[in-house]
Amino acid sequence: MISGRCAACKNQRRKCPSDCIFSPYFPSNDPQRYAAVHKIYGGSNIGKMLQQIPPYVRAQAAESLYYEAQSRIQDPIYGCYGIISQLLQQIHIAETELVKIQAQINIFKPQNPQVGYQSNFDVSMRQFQFAGHSSHTP
Amino acid sequence: MISGRCAACKNQRRKCPSDCIFSPYFPSNDPQRYAAVHKIYGGSNIGKMLQQIPPYVRAQAAESLYYEAQSRIQDPIYGCYGIISQLLQQIHIAETELVKIQAQINIFKPQNPQVGYQSNFDVSMRQFQFAGHSSHTP
């Protein structure tokens, strides 16, 4: 038995090298973390993705891959796309609310010029729109 | 040369069977679509994920996987996680704006009781929070 192996090397039943790409981000005491990314992306793809980015951002990448893998396991149809769709709907609701309030305020503006409200909230929905598809309603 | 192969079978240089799991979602006239999911998940994982869900939702799953793969290619560090983080920040801004307006309206409420606004906007941020991590600022 080889001790001190990371979760990836333990999963692959191999020796964990000192420069193991997985070791800092997938510790052996959290096997579920590696199991999730392994299930969705495969160990080889995770290794490749981590290799292709600078070492100082690998922890964030591993965390985001884990988050996306968990989302896909929880929702095998929509994954993170489903969360984004829900958030876009929340933003749409907020925008509608703000327009409604703005209209209400404008009614009383002439009598109370100091009740002037100008929203700074401007979400460019276009930047998050799904290419060629409207967002779904999960 | 085998004609009529889907993008996945073309990529794998194999015959495209009549019941090919990829064929309806990865047509040969859009090779970039399959190339994106292949790069991030690997062909075998994509096939497995499609197999595990009912046929009537596979088109949506293929679309969401393509969206997530594109996001990861565009942002190899944060992928979709980065988009979710940005949207949560937009929602936080919207909530702050609404609280500010509500306070402004309340100042004038006694004089103008008809200017009563009650926001229906309520985002449960908790449901989208990243487990054990605060959202980053991309």
Side-chain angles (χ1 to χ4, degrees):
Chain A
M1 187 186 154
I2 303 156
S3 65
R5 290 182 300 179
C6 73
C9 292
K10 214 165 179 178
N11 178 285
Q12 299 295 308
R13 297 167 191 268
R14 68 186 170 210
K15 199 181 162 189
C16 190
S18 59
D19 61 346
C20 176
I21 189 82
F22 299 100
S23 179
Y25 322 113
F26 298 100
S28 60
N29 62 359
D30 191 359
Q32 292 308 311
R33 183 177 162 90
Y34 180 73
V37 297
H38 181 260
K39 181 180 165 75
I40 300 302
Y41 301 98
S44 160
N45 284 325
I46 290 289
K48 269 189 231 159
M49 286 192 271
L50 291 175
Q51 283 286 7
Q52 284 163 7
I53 56 173
Y56 66 91
V57 286
R58 283 180 192 159
Q60 290 95 312
E63 186 58 32
S64 70
L65 287 164
Y66 174 50
Y67 178 83
E68 288 178 33
Q70 277 186 308
S71 303
R72 176 65 54 183
I73 290 165
Q74 281 166 25
D75 180 354
I77 302 161
Y78 295 108
C80 271
Y81 181 100
I83 295 171
I84 290 170
S85 182
Q86 284 181 52
L87 291 175
L88 286 173
Q89 285 193 339
Q90 296 282 13
I91 290 174
H92 178 70
I93 291 167
E95 285 185 316
T96 308
E97 292 273 318
L98 282 167
V99 167
K100 215 159 68 179
I101 305 169
Q102 188 70 62
Q104 276 199 317
I105 288 173
N106 286 342
I107 293 168
F108 294 92
K109 224 173 178 178
Q111 296 96 305
N112 299 301
Q114 61 273 52
V115 196
Y117 178 76
Q118 185 58 52
S119 172
N120 298 315
F121 181 60
D122 175 32
V123 176
S124 175
M125 299 281 278
R126 278 179 294 280
Q127 68 178 306
F128 297 114
Q129 257 168 13
F130 305 130
H133 287 261
S134 58
S135 61
H136 76 279
T137 310
Chain B
M1 188 187 153
I2 303 156
S3 65
R5 291 182 300 180
C6 73
C9 291
K10 214 165 181 178
N11 178 285
Q12 299 296 308
R13 296 167 190 269
R14 68 186 171 212
K15 198 181 163 189
C16 191
S18 59
D19 62 346
C20 176
I21 188 81
F22 300 99
S23 178
Y25 322 112
F26 298 101
S28 61
N29 62 1
D30 190 359
Q32 292 308 310
R33 184 177 163 91
Y34 180 73
V37 297
H38 181 260
K39 182 181 166 75
I40 300 301
Y41 301 97
S44 161
N45 284 326
I46 289 290
K48 269 188 233 160
M49 286 191 272
L50 292 175
Q51 283 286 6
Q52 284 163 7
I53 54 172
Y56 65 91
V57 287
R58 283 180 191 158
Q60 290 94 313
E63 186 58 32
S64 70
L65 287 164
Y66 174 50
Y67 178 84
E68 288 178 34
Q70 276 187 307
S71 302
R72 178 64 52 183
I73 291 165
Q74 280 166 25
D75 180 354
I77 302 161
Y78 293 107
C80 272
Y81 180 100
I83 294 171
I84 290 170
S85 182
Q86 284 179 53
L87 291 175
L88 285 173
Q89 286 193 338
Q90 296 282 13
I91 289 174
H92 178 70
I93 292 168
E95 283 185 317
T96 308
E97 293 273 317
L98 282 166
V99 168
K100 216 160 67 181
I101 305 169
Q102 189 69 63
Q104 275 198 318
I105 288 173
N106 286 343
I107 294 169
F108 295 93
K109 224 172 178 179
Q111 297 97 306
N112 301 299
Q114 62 273 52
V115 195
Y117 178 75
Q118 185 59 51
S119 173
N120 298 316
F121 180 60
D122 175 33
V123 177
S124 176
M125 299 281 279
R126 278 179 295 279
Q127 69 176 305
F128 297 114
Q129 259 168 12
F130 305 131
H133 287 260
S134 58
S135 62
H136 77 281
T137 310

